[in-house]
Amino acid sequence: MSVKKIIVGISGASGSIYGIDLLKKLKQVANIETHLVMSDWAKENIKKETNYQPAEVAEMADFVYDNHNLGARIASGSFLIDAMVIVPASMKTIAGVSIGFDEDLIMRSAGVMLKEQRKLILVPRETPLSAIHLENLSKLAKLGVQIIPPIPSFYDHPQTIQDIINHQTMKTMDALRIKNKIGRRWNV
């Protein structure tokens, strides 16, 4: 079985725990290789919002890149990657991706995914959404980007915050076509 290579970009939006949880769950799956990029603000939010340190999060990935290194291999279309998830995705990052502004490695890698027509998933974390945010997201959706906002479901009767996070990770892994039994699914 071949190895599936996935880039996980953690931007500076609130909700870094979603990216951390995805990394933890991907690490448990055989034949998955993760490539992590964290923005400077992601590292700050990890310290503010979670019980993790950025170095601990980096240890969850197979490969880690400096967000300022536009010469990293994931910045090139010749490096074969199966999918990329930006989780959480800040509106700044989404805006940059939507206009092709490759200011940092997260945006550049997302741009590569678009130009190479590879799987790109965004987990936008902002509310309320302005018309500009919606235009950027709509533009990217029309280009084939999958938008999976972290909106909790209640049919699964979440009891903890981790239950809500699990549901989001389940939905993201479903979009990556990775079989999982993370959260409760709709069952009538």
Side-chain angles (χ1 to χ4, degrees):
M1 183 177 218
S2 64
V3 173
K4 190 173 205 171
K5 297 178 183 176
I6 300 171
I7 299 170
V8 176
I10 301 178
S11 79
S14 180
S16 54
I17 194 65
Y18 291 114
I20 294 167
D21 195 67
L22 179 63
L23 279 170
K24 285 168 59 177
K25 304 270 189 328
L26 289 173
K27 192 172 185 76
Q28 298 169 5
V29 180
N31 300 314
I32 299 287
E33 181 180 284
T34 54
H35 297 257
L36 174 64
V37 186
M38 294 180 280
S39 73
D40 293 340
W41 276 107
K43 293 174 185 176
E44 290 302 313
N45 279 345
I46 287 167
K47 291 185 277 189
K48 291 178 189 314
E49 296 180 346
T50 76
N51 294 322
Y52 294 97
Q53 291 297 313
E56 293 173 286
V57 176
E59 289 174 8
M60 296 175 193
D62 296 303
F63 298 92
V64 181
Y65 305 89
D66 182 328
N67 195 36
H68 302 288
N69 181 7
L70 294 178
R73 61 186 175 168
I74 60 172
S76 173
S78 67
F79 184 67
L80 299 178
I81 287 285
D82 296 289
M84 178 177 186
V85 181
I86 304 176
V87 53
S90 69
M91 288 303 133
K92 175 184 176 183
T93 298
I94 289 168
V97 173
S98 77
I99 62 169
F101 184 61
D102 297 343
E103 179 183 42
D104 59 29
L105 187 57
I106 293 173
M107 289 182 213
R108 170 62 189 167
S109 298
V112 168
M113 300 306 286
L114 288 171
K115 79 180 185 74
E116 299 293 334
Q117 298 183 355
R118 297 178 186 151
K119 183 76 168 175
L120 177 58
I121 299 168
L122 300 177
V123 179
R125 235 306 298 137
E126 183 70 57
T127 192
L129 295 169
S130 74
I132 294 169
H133 300 150
L134 292 168
E135 285 177 13
N136 289 334
L137 288 165
S138 179
K139 179 180 179 181
L140 290 168
K142 289 175 186 172
L143 294 172
V145 176
Q146 194 162 5
I147 313 295
I148 308 176
I151 299 171
S153 67
F154 294 98
Y155 58 79
D156 55 349
H157 300 278
Q159 301 298 306
T160 67
I161 291 173
Q162 187 60 51
D163 290 342
I164 294 169
I165 294 166
N166 283 344
H167 185 81
Q168 180 65 32
T169 301
M170 176 188 76
K171 298 295 282 184
T172 304
M173 289 179 68
D174 288 351
L176 290 167
R177 306 286 189 259
I178 298 171
K179 290 183 181 182
N180 68 85
K181 295 180 180 180
I182 296 170
R184 288 194 222 151
R185 297 184 181 276
W186 177 261
N187 190 6
V188 179

